[in-house]
Amino acid sequence: MDPHEVRRKNFPAPDEFPFFSGVAFWYDSGRYEDALDSTLARVEELGWRQMQADARAEGRSVGIGYSFHVEPSAYGPSRILNLVGLQHSGFDEAVVRIDPMGKVTVYSGQINMGQGTHTIYCQIAADGLGVPIDDVKVVTGDTDSCPYTGYGTGGSRAAPLGGGAIIRATVRLKEKILRIAAELMEASPEDLVIDSGIISVKGSPDQNVSMQDIGDAAYRRLNERLPVNETPTLEETDVYDPENMATSFGCAALLVEVDRETGVVKLLDFVQTDDCGTVINPMLVDGQLAGGFTQAFGGALFEELVYDDEGQLQTTSFMDYLIPTAMEIPRFEVIHQETPSPHVPGGIKGVGESGTIAGVSLVGSAIDDALSDIGVTVKRFPMTPMRLLDLIREAENGEVSQ
Amino acid sequence: MPVLAEALRHVGHVTIRNRGTIGGSLAHADPAAELPVALLALDGKVVVQGSAGTRAIGAGDLFVGPMTTALEPTEILTSVRIPRPDAGTGASIVELARRHGDFAIVIAMALVHLDGNGRCDMVRIALGGVEGAPARMEAAESGLLGAEPSGAAIEAAADAVAAGVDPIGDIHASESYRRDMTRVFVKRALAQAVERAKGGVA
Ligand SMILES: Cc1cc2nc3c(=O)[nH]c(=O)nc-3n(C[C@H](O)[C@H](O)[C@H](O)COP(=O)(O)OP(=O)(O)OC[C@H]3O[C@@H](n4cnc5c(N)ncnc54)[C@H](O)[C@@H]3O)c2cc1C
């Protein structure tokens, strides 16, 4: 049976979600078949199959591999994490504060390690409040001023959970802003809109107040400006403990060429349809994925700690431990598909590991395909040239590869 | 000599090539470096100067062991001389490394010139990365000399080189893998050099 048929038979249909995993959590939402179809269509468009046929006609071994992945992200409901034995929880806390000048500061327990967390938090807060992104500042890493996190930065939780807490805080804060603006303009909060930090009456944009006016009314000149039932200051804290995890997914395809005389595998081209729910920032998602792909190809082909028979580590420097460079990786193409999470605010899912998951089996299946005429099945990684040459020779001599 | 540029493409990365010098690479004599192999295949020599005066050392006498040259402690390398190959000489350098720019597992370089009857009247094969020092493969060269460089003749020369080497082994390439790859890369270098000699491309 065609491997894609096996995949199709096993995919839950979009209306079967949330789909119980059998243990502790649900696959929250998915359009798995769409992701597969999108990748297959792109492979067709790129002409890989023709390239493969042409290469074969010239006696070269070109193969196409596929790998479908699901990334459980947004770890996770605190009580379930405890239930499965973890000694930590899974909530995330955010504080969103607007100062008397109407500028916004987000405090989070998350840490940015290069993923662009600050950028997406600015986007989320600006979007949630309706203020310019330049008016938002993010503070992390200061344990005196920042709130707690149930777990920290890992399990692809910074965007869905840290971000989810910010969204929920901004929802309440925005309501307060509108109530104060309504008081200032003698209007009803339902009739107001915020755009680029200006709160105006729907349909009559000339009737407006600024975020600075709101800050002034909440912190300084309260009398007859801040509604009487309203607490001074503009600050919301949100602790978000999700009811479920969020499952990102995707389908990757890889074009490789195997040199049968050397066992060297060359990565020629790469496509992944990736679905991490709402894409907050496509460039940052691409960046997370590109790093993941590269790391996965390192695991598939290069990175290894080698011990000798006496247990001595032979891999002692970065001349021995080979991390792929720009020269070893193919072009990366990401097709974004968006199936929002039904339970996470904003529909956000995580993407921190979606790049690495597929890579190793992807390389394996592409090599298998390149060598399908002699029947090689790659089962061990990294698949170094020496190991692959052994497999090729065994297969050519009619031995069964192990 | 476009083959020199081809050789240099394999040396590390752009930053390494910007900083490293040709004389430094030859004096360093790394067994897996490209320039020593190129000097051997192009039959060049180096001029060295010391307290006792100036002398020239042919490529064949320069590389005596791993990171070791025939330079005396008081000598420095001051210039490199490479004779221009005869018109119509085909040259090729091919290499196997785990990643681009890594020190080579095998470097094979070949120069071939054909006479009017399509027979080899000049063959030079140099090998790096395989043994403790780069070297010319003279036995295989003389096997091809005067012969028509057919596929079978090239295979035989490659087999002869592979049979004659005493390869080092490391985690990236065992002794036997290096020997196998010696055969493959000598074959590829010779085939391309012959192709280029026929096409009149150096
Ligand atoms: C990451 C990395 C990757 C590399 N990859 C490769 C590669 O793939 N292939 C490759 O061939 N090389 C590679 N190199 C080595 C690089 O090419 C070296 O820099 C070069 O071989 C040495 O040349 P240098 O001019 O830097 O010499 P130096 O480092 O200055 O000198 C090297 C040695 O030679 C001696 N020396 C230098 N010049 C002279 C002279 N004129 N006379 C006598 N002795 C002299 C020095 O005293 C020293 O002992 C790599 C280096 C790095 C750091």
Side-chain angles (χ1 to χ4, degrees):
Chain A
M1 190 188 289
D2 176 42
H4 300 313
E5 274 318 303
V6 178
R7 293 188 173 103
R8 286 183 205 281
K9 277 183 185 293
N10 284 287
F11 287 153
D15 61 5
E16 287 178 80
F17 289 91
F19 189 88
F20 188 50
S21 72
V23 190
F25 76 95
W26 284 262
Y27 295 88
D28 60 340
S29 64
R31 287 187 290 130
Y32 293 175
E33 198 152 21
D34 287 353
L36 175 63
D37 287 336
S38 145
T39 298
L40 292 178
R42 188 62 187 137
V43 164
E44 212 52 57
E45 224 171 78
L46 289 167
W48 287 8
R49 302 226 264 173
Q50 191 56 48
M51 285 156 76
Q52 181 178 35
D54 293 348
R56 283 192 177 162
E58 289 170 21
R60 294 187 296 125
S61 303
V62 167
I64 305 173
Y66 295 92
S67 180
F68 196 99
H69 75 272
V70 173
E71 179 194 350
S73 72
Y75 281 76
S78 289
R79 285 175 181 80
I80 290 183
L81 295 188
N82 293 160
L83 213 65
V84 299
L86 298 176
Q87 311 291 316
H88 59 75
S89 54
F91 67 85
D92 229 69
E93 184 174 354
V95 175
V96 181
R97 180 187 294 161
I98 299 174
D99 66 26
M101 299 300 289
K103 307 285 185 198
V104 183
T105 305
V106 175
Y107 298 87
S108 166
Q110 290 290 329
I111 278 288
N112 179 42
M113 295 175 283
Q115 314 93 317
T117 312
H118 285 209
T119 304
I120 62 160
Y121 285 180
C122 281
Q123 287 181 262
I124 289 172
D127 201 50
L129 294 171
V131 301
I133 197 163
D134 287 346
D135 288 356
V136 184
K137 193 171 85 179
V138 176
V139 178
T140 62
D142 176 4
T143 49
D144 281 344
S145 59
C146 294
Y148 276 84
T149 166
Y151 178 44
T153 305
S156 290
R157 54 197 305 289
L161 305 191
I166 296 168
I167 290 178
R168 300 195 332 163
T170 59
V171 167
R172 295 196 294 274
L173 207 44
K174 186 175 178 178
E175 285 166 3
K176 186 169 181 179
I177 292 167
L178 293 180
R179 290 195 302 271
I180 299 171
E183 181 86 1
L184 291 176
M185 290 190 277
E186 294 176 9
S188 159
E190 300 82 63
D191 295 338
L192 302 180
V193 284
I194 312 185
D195 185 26
S196 306
I198 304 294
I199 304 100
S200 61
V201 178
K202 268 179 228 166
S204 45
D206 291 346
Q207 223 185 322
N208 65 61
V209 293
S210 67
M211 287 297 290
Q212 207 172 329
D213 298 326
I214 305 292
D216 190 65
Y219 286 92
R220 297 179 193 275
R221 292 179 290 162
L222 279 54
N223 194 27
E224 294 191 354
R225 305 178 77 225
L226 186 73
V228 281
N229 304 331
E230 213 70 66
T231 328
T233 78
L234 291 164
E235 177 169 317
E236 279 293 338
T237 296
D238 191 82
V239 181
Y240 175 43
D241 200 338
E243 67 200 60
N244 183 18
M245 314 247 280
T247 44
S248 298
F249 57 94
C251 181
L254 175 72
L255 186 71
V256 303
E257 177 161 356
V258 176
D259 183 336
R260 289 194 191 208
E261 281 188 317
T262 62
V264 170
V265 177
K266 199 166 162 206
L267 308 176
L268 302 177
D269 204 3
F270 174 90
V271 177
Q272 176 161 310
T273 301
D274 190 81
D275 194 324
C276 58
T278 306
V279 175
I280 304 165
N281 186 317
M283 187 185 78
L284 290 174
V285 170
D286 289 353
Q288 287 286 290
L289 292 172
F293 301 149
T294 306
Q295 190 181 356
F297 294 147
L301 295 170
F302 298 104
E303 296 176 40
E304 185 174 23
L305 295 174
V306 180
Y307 293 86
D308 72 7
D309 294 342
E310 260 119 52
Q312 278 292 339
L313 184 61
Q314 304 294 295
T315 311
T316 53
S317 76
F318 283 120
M319 276 177 78
D320 299 329
Y321 188 84
L322 308 179
I323 297 171
T325 74
M327 300 300 289
E328 281 70 51
I329 54 176
R331 179 187 78 105
F332 293 143
E333 179 176 326
V334 176
I335 301 167
H336 296 281
Q337 176 181 298
E338 295 185 76
T339 310
S341 168
H343 67 282
V344 177
I348 306 165
K349 301 181 178 187
V351 74
E353 281 134 275
S354 286
T356 39
I357 301 170
V360 171
S361 66
L362 184 65
V363 170
S365 78
I367 297 174
D368 290 352
D369 186 49
L371 300 172
S372 58
D373 58 323
I374 51 172
V376 163
T377 306
V378 167
K379 289 180 190 157
R380 176 171 181 189
F381 297 97
M383 191 30 67
T384 62
M386 266 198 289
R387 289 191 182 123
L388 186 53
L389 191 62
D390 282 347
L391 292 183
I392 291 169
R393 287 185 178 164
E394 282 166 21
E396 280 173 342
N397 298 334
E399 295 165 34
V400 182
S401 72
Q402 23 64 53
Chain B
M1 270 177 277
V3 72
L4 263 184
E6 287 179 20
L8 280 165
R9 266 210 339 231
H10 294 288
V11 178
H13 317 95
V14 175
T15 37
I16 304 298
R17 296 194 286 267
N18 283 346
R19 285 293 297 198
T21 65
I22 291 173
S25 182
L26 294 173
H28 195 49
D30 189 300
E34 288 77 9
L35 283 168
V37 175
L39 190 76
L40 281 160
L42 292 165
D43 204 23
K45 62 185 176 201
V46 295
V47 177
V48 302
Q49 194 170 342
S51 43
T54 302
R55 63 181 177 128
I57 308 174
D61 297 322
L62 181 62
F63 307 106
V64 300
M67 328 296 278
T68 312
T69 64
L71 266 73
E72 295 298 332
T74 56
E75 287 177 321
I76 61 163
L77 190 159
T78 54
S79 64
V80 181
R81 311 234 167 237
I82 294 174
R84 188 189 299 277
D86 289 341
T89 301
S92 167
I93 182 163
V94 290
E95 142 166 358
L96 175 66
R98 287 297 307 278
R99 296 172 306 181
H100 179 90
D102 278 343
F103 277 101
I105 292 169
V106 181
I107 305 164
M109 184 160 170
L111 261 73
V112 174
H113 189 275
L114 303 175
D115 66 16
N117 300 318
R119 292 175 193 282
C120 303
D121 59 8
M122 193 281 296
V123 182
R124 287 202 292 265
I125 304 168
L127 199 64
V130 177
E131 299 181 307
R136 283 270 296 277
M137 300 289 117
E138 275 148 9
E141 290 173 3
S142 49
L144 273 176
L145 216 53
E148 204 177 302
S150 63
I154 288 173
E155 296 257 1
D159 285 343
V161 172
V165 291
D166 181 16
I168 46 180
D170 59 34
I171 59 170
H172 301 305
S174 64
E175 289 165 36
S176 76
Y177 184 74
R178 258 200 180 75
R179 188 187 302 284
D180 288 347
M181 293 307 105
T182 299
R183 184 173 43 69
V184 171
F185 282 82
V186 168
K187 183 184 75 178
R188 290 179 182 182
L190 278 169
Q192 189 174 45
V194 166
E195 209 49 49
R196 288 175 171 180
K198 285 179 181 163
V201 192

PDB file of all heavy atoms in Angstrom, chain B residues 15 18 46 48 51 60 87 98 100 110 133 140 146 160 169-170 178 192 198:
ATOM      1  N   THR B  15      36.402  32.907   5.550  1.00  0.00           N
ATOM      2  CA  THR B  15      37.224  33.593   6.559  1.00  0.00           C
ATOM      3  C   THR B  15      38.588  32.918   6.701  1.00  0.00           C
ATOM      4  O   THR B  15      39.605  33.592   6.871  1.00  0.00           O
ATOM      5  CB  THR B  15      36.526  33.571   7.930  1.00  0.00           C
ATOM      6  OG1 THR B  15      35.869  32.323   8.076  1.00  0.00           O
ATOM      7  CG2 THR B  15      35.506  34.677   8.044  1.00  0.00           C
ATOM      8  N   ASN B  18      40.690  33.826   3.774  1.00  0.00           N
ATOM      9  CA  ASN B  18      41.159  35.216   3.829  1.00  0.00           C
ATOM     10  C   ASN B  18      42.369  35.362   4.740  1.00  0.00           C
ATOM     11  O   ASN B  18      43.272  36.129   4.462  1.00  0.00           O
ATOM     12  CB  ASN B  18      40.037  36.143   4.329  1.00  0.00           C
ATOM     13  CG  ASN B  18      39.013  36.412   3.241  1.00  0.00           C
ATOM     14  OD1 ASN B  18      39.261  36.135   2.067  1.00  0.00           O
ATOM     15  ND2 ASN B  18      37.869  36.932   3.638  1.00  0.00           N
ATOM     16  N   VAL B  46      59.477  25.007  -3.366  1.00  0.00           N
ATOM     17  CA  VAL B  46      59.462  26.196  -2.527  1.00  0.00           C
ATOM     18  C   VAL B  46      60.894  26.694  -2.383  1.00  0.00           C
ATOM     19  O   VAL B  46      61.846  25.910  -2.456  1.00  0.00           O
ATOM     20  CB  VAL B  46      58.865  25.914  -1.122  1.00  0.00           C
ATOM     21  CG1 VAL B  46      57.396  25.534  -1.245  1.00  0.00           C
ATOM     22  CG2 VAL B  46      59.651  24.841  -0.385  1.00  0.00           C
ATOM     23  N   VAL B  48      63.418  28.479   0.194  1.00  0.00           N
ATOM     24  CA  VAL B  48      63.516  28.771   1.624  1.00  0.00           C
ATOM     25  C   VAL B  48      64.824  29.502   1.889  1.00  0.00           C
ATOM     26  O   VAL B  48      65.819  29.328   1.178  1.00  0.00           O
ATOM     27  CB  VAL B  48      63.435  27.486   2.497  1.00  0.00           C
ATOM     28  CG1 VAL B  48      62.134  26.750   2.210  1.00  0.00           C
ATOM     29  CG2 VAL B  48      64.628  26.580   2.297  1.00  0.00           C
ATOM     30  N   SER B  51      69.875  31.061   7.828  1.00  0.00           N
ATOM     31  CA  SER B  51      71.179  31.676   8.127  1.00  0.00           C
ATOM     32  C   SER B  51      72.264  31.142   7.203  1.00  0.00           C
ATOM     33  O   SER B  51      73.244  31.818   6.916  1.00  0.00           O
ATOM     34  CB  SER B  51      71.541  31.449   9.592  1.00  0.00           C
ATOM     35  OG  SER B  51      71.247  30.122   9.953  1.00  0.00           O
ATOM     36  N   GLY B  60      58.399  17.033  -3.795  1.00  0.00           N
ATOM     37  CA  GLY B  60      58.577  15.634  -3.392  1.00  0.00           C
ATOM     38  C   GLY B  60      59.463  15.476  -2.170  1.00  0.00           C
ATOM     39  O   GLY B  60      59.374  14.471  -1.459  1.00  0.00           O
ATOM     40  N   ALA B  87      50.520  23.143 -22.536  1.00  0.00           N
ATOM     41  CA  ALA B  87      49.184  23.396 -23.085  1.00  0.00           C
ATOM     42  C   ALA B  87      48.477  22.060 -23.313  1.00  0.00           C
ATOM     43  O   ALA B  87      49.114  21.083 -23.732  1.00  0.00           O
ATOM     44  CB  ALA B  87      49.299  24.164 -24.394  1.00  0.00           C
ATOM     45  N   ARG B  98      33.652  15.233   5.526  1.00  0.00           N
ATOM     46  CA  ARG B  98      32.325  15.041   6.115  1.00  0.00           C
ATOM     47  C   ARG B  98      31.440  16.246   5.848  1.00  0.00           C
ATOM     48  O   ARG B  98      30.291  16.102   5.465  1.00  0.00           O
ATOM     49  CB  ARG B  98      32.431  14.789   7.622  1.00  0.00           C
ATOM     50  CG  ARG B  98      32.965  13.419   8.020  1.00  0.00           C
ATOM     51  CD  ARG B  98      32.074  12.259   7.564  1.00  0.00           C
ATOM     52  NE  ARG B  98      30.684  12.391   7.985  1.00  0.00           N
ATOM     53  CZ  ARG B  98      30.213  12.061   9.179  1.00  0.00           C
ATOM     54  NH1 ARG B  98      31.011  11.555  10.091  1.00  0.00           N
ATOM     55  NH2 ARG B  98      28.941  12.217   9.461  1.00  0.00           N
ATOM     56  N   HIS B 100      31.483  20.405   4.120  1.00  0.00           N
ATOM     57  CA  HIS B 100      32.275  21.276   3.269  1.00  0.00           C
ATOM     58  C   HIS B 100      33.249  22.065   4.128  1.00  0.00           C
ATOM     59  O   HIS B 100      32.862  22.659   5.126  1.00  0.00           O
ATOM     60  CB  HIS B 100      31.370  22.241   2.499  1.00  0.00           C
ATOM     61  CG  HIS B 100      32.160  23.175   1.638  1.00  0.00           C
ATOM     62  ND1 HIS B 100      32.492  22.874   0.342  1.00  0.00           N
ATOM     63  CD2 HIS B 100      32.737  24.357   1.905  1.00  0.00           C
ATOM     64  CE1 HIS B 100      33.229  23.846  -0.152  1.00  0.00           C
ATOM     65  NE2 HIS B 100      33.383  24.767   0.773  1.00  0.00           N
ATOM     66  N   ALA B 110      44.915  15.010 -10.000  1.00  0.00           N
ATOM     67  CA  ALA B 110      45.558  14.363 -11.147  1.00  0.00           C
ATOM     68  C   ALA B 110      45.811  15.380 -12.240  1.00  0.00           C
ATOM     69  O   ALA B 110      45.021  16.307 -12.448  1.00  0.00           O
ATOM     70  CB  ALA B 110      44.670  13.235 -11.669  1.00  0.00           C
ATOM     71  N   ALA B 133      51.486  11.930   5.407  1.00  0.00           N
ATOM     72  CA  ALA B 133      51.938  13.077   4.614  1.00  0.00           C
ATOM     73  C   ALA B 133      51.385  12.942   3.207  1.00  0.00           C
ATOM     74  O   ALA B 133      51.144  11.821   2.739  1.00  0.00           O
ATOM     75  CB  ALA B 133      53.471  13.113   4.571  1.00  0.00           C
ATOM     76  N   ALA B 140      51.475   4.155  -9.744  1.00  0.00           N
ATOM     77  CA  ALA B 140      50.256   4.216 -10.559  1.00  0.00           C
ATOM     78  C   ALA B 140      50.452   5.128 -11.765  1.00  0.00           C
ATOM     79  O   ALA B 140      49.943   4.857 -12.851  1.00  0.00           O
ATOM     80  CB  ALA B 140      49.089   4.698  -9.711  1.00  0.00           C
ATOM     81  N   GLY B 146      52.066   6.200 -21.310  1.00  0.00           N
ATOM     82  CA  GLY B 146      52.141   5.499 -22.593  1.00  0.00           C
ATOM     83  C   GLY B 146      50.873   4.724 -22.908  1.00  0.00           C
ATOM     84  O   GLY B 146      50.738   4.158 -23.996  1.00  0.00           O
ATOM     85  N   ALA B 160      45.539   0.401  -8.059  1.00  0.00           N
ATOM     86  CA  ALA B 160      46.952   0.326  -7.678  1.00  0.00           C
ATOM     87  C   ALA B 160      47.252   1.313  -6.549  1.00  0.00           C
ATOM     88  O   ALA B 160      47.938   0.970  -5.576  1.00  0.00           O
ATOM     89  CB  ALA B 160      47.840   0.618  -8.884  1.00  0.00           C
ATOM     90  N   GLY B 169      43.272   5.869  10.286  1.00  0.00           N
ATOM     91  CA  GLY B 169      41.853   5.666  10.585  1.00  0.00           C
ATOM     92  C   GLY B 169      41.446   6.614  11.696  1.00  0.00           C
ATOM     93  O   GLY B 169      42.220   6.890  12.601  1.00  0.00           O
ATOM     94  N   ASP B 170      40.252   7.149  11.600  1.00  0.00           N
ATOM     95  CA  ASP B 170      39.736   7.978  12.693  1.00  0.00           C
ATOM     96  C   ASP B 170      38.219   7.796  12.752  1.00  0.00           C
ATOM     97  O   ASP B 170      37.670   6.955  12.023  1.00  0.00           O
ATOM     98  CB  ASP B 170      40.142   9.448  12.518  1.00  0.00           C
ATOM     99  CG  ASP B 170      39.646  10.047  11.212  1.00  0.00           C
ATOM    100  OD1 ASP B 170      38.551   9.662  10.757  1.00  0.00           O
ATOM    101  OD2 ASP B 170      40.351  10.907  10.647  1.00  0.00           O
ATOM    102  N   ARG B 178      38.873   4.630   4.202  1.00  0.00           N
ATOM    103  CA  ARG B 178      39.804   5.554   3.525  1.00  0.00           C
ATOM    104  C   ARG B 178      40.429   4.901   2.300  1.00  0.00           C
ATOM    105  O   ARG B 178      40.597   5.541   1.265  1.00  0.00           O
ATOM    106  CB  ARG B 178      40.920   5.978   4.491  1.00  0.00           C
ATOM    107  CG  ARG B 178      40.728   7.339   5.069  1.00  0.00           C
ATOM    108  CD  ARG B 178      42.033   7.909   5.610  1.00  0.00           C
ATOM    109  NE  ARG B 178      41.781   9.243   6.150  1.00  0.00           N
ATOM    110  CZ  ARG B 178      41.171   9.486   7.294  1.00  0.00           C
ATOM    111  NH1 ARG B 178      40.730   8.476   8.036  1.00  0.00           N
ATOM    112  NH2 ARG B 178      40.984  10.728   7.696  1.00  0.00           N
ATOM    113  N   GLN B 192      38.272  12.925 -14.658  1.00  0.00           N
ATOM    114  CA  GLN B 192      38.018  14.331 -15.001  1.00  0.00           C
ATOM    115  C   GLN B 192      39.228  14.966 -15.682  1.00  0.00           C
ATOM    116  O   GLN B 192      39.078  15.747 -16.637  1.00  0.00           O
ATOM    117  CB  GLN B 192      37.642  15.123 -13.750  1.00  0.00           C
ATOM    118  CG  GLN B 192      37.150  16.525 -14.098  1.00  0.00           C
ATOM    119  CD  GLN B 192      36.637  17.282 -12.893  1.00  0.00           C
ATOM    120  OE1 GLN B 192      37.268  17.275 -11.826  1.00  0.00           O
ATOM    121  NE2 GLN B 192      35.492  17.930 -13.031  1.00  0.00           N
ATOM    122  N   LYS B 198      41.304  15.914 -22.989  1.00  0.00           N
ATOM    123  CA  LYS B 198      40.694  15.692 -24.310  1.00  0.00           C
ATOM    124  C   LYS B 198      40.026  16.963 -24.802  1.00  0.00           C
ATOM    125  O   LYS B 198      40.081  17.299 -25.979  1.00  0.00           O
ATOM    126  CB  LYS B 198      39.661  14.573 -24.244  1.00  0.00           C
ATOM    127  CG  LYS B 198      40.274  13.191 -24.164  1.00  0.00           C
ATOM    128  CD  LYS B 198      39.178  12.138 -24.086  1.00  0.00           C
ATOM    129  CE  LYS B 198      39.780  10.751 -23.987  1.00  0.00           C
ATOM    130  NZ  LYS B 198      38.786   9.777 -23.509  1.00  0.00           N
TER     131      LYS B 198
END
